[in-house]
Amino acid sequence: MNKRGVHSMYRCGILIVVAALIGAVAAGCQDYKWQWSFESPEQLQKTEKQALDEGKMVLLFYKWYLDSDANRMHGEVLADNRVGALFADTLNIVIDKSAGPAYERYLAKYGVSSPPACILVAPDGRYKVFTGYIPAERFVELVKAAKAQLTEAPRRTAPSKVTP
């Protein structure tokens, strides 16, 4: 291949990278600083545990690239700046169904079996699950309520009265 061909390939590669970055910015991915590249569910669990130990909430977004509701949640709802602002202080993880059955089993501990699903996990292990497509305005309301509920101290039930 001559120098001109190598130079054209180099330019094409740069354009692809720039286009991908612009696409990521347009989709709102920058707001979340998504983590999505895990070698195993064990590595995912370790990352999640570390965040929880540091007192951070964790957002797990379960999607599948072939699911239209998951794509709408990702492209419309999670890309909304009002929604992004709610997750600026959380560890944000994307898990795609195509990652395999081991990740599906990992999500089963939260009662999630199909995408789309958003799981908000508090440092003490309590969690809230949102499934299906939820319009942005409603999702903001639900997340605010869930964050408030998950950050308040767990309530103990009153001791039962024992009668002899």
Side-chain angles (χ1 to χ4, degrees):
M1 186 177 289
N2 62 23
K3 284 185 180 182
R4 183 178 259 175
V6 170
H7 186 67
S8 292
M9 285 177 53
Y10 178 74
R11 270 188 168 171
C12 184
I14 289 175
L15 288 174
I16 290 170
V17 169
V18 169
L21 289 173
I22 289 170
V25 169
C29 295
Q30 81 286 359
D31 295 341
Y32 295 89
K33 297 178 184 149
W34 291 111
Q35 293 195 23
W36 53 271
S37 180
F38 297 98
E39 293 178 15
S40 67
E42 292 77 25
Q43 184 188 24
L44 167 62
Q45 183 176 20
K46 183 179 175 184
T47 302
E48 182 181 350
K49 183 179 180 334
Q50 181 180 354
L52 296 174
D53 288 348
E54 292 171 3
K56 283 185 161 183
M57 281 193 158
V58 174
L59 169 67
L60 297 162
F61 176 54
Y62 184 42
K63 67 175 279 181
W64 188 30
Y65 69 96
L66 293 176
D67 184 281
S68 61
D69 283 343
N71 290 328
R72 287 180 62 208
M73 276 301 290
H74 190 227
E76 294 174 19
V77 179
L78 294 175
D80 187 298
N81 288 333
R82 296 169 299 165
V83 175
L86 296 172
F87 298 111
D89 60 346
T90 61
L91 170 66
N92 305 300
I93 297 171
V94 173
I95 302 169
D96 195 286
K97 181 178 175 135
S98 62
Y103 291 92
E104 291 176 35
R105 286 189 296 276
Y106 182 83
L107 291 168
K109 73 181 183 179
Y110 296 112
V112 171
S113 60
S114 63
C118 292
I119 305 143
L120 188 60
V121 185
D124 66 2
R126 293 179 295 153
Y127 61 91
K128 199 74 162 175
V129 176
F130 308 101
T131 58
Y133 174 80
I134 304 168
E137 196 167 300
R138 179 70 178 137
F139 191 68
V140 167
E141 293 171 8
L142 292 171
V143 169
K144 284 180 178 179
K147 281 183 129 183
Q149 181 184 11
L150 293 172
T151 55
E152 70 182 30
R155 297 183 185 155
R156 289 187 173 176
T157 56
S160 58
K161 214 177 204 181
V162 178
T163 52

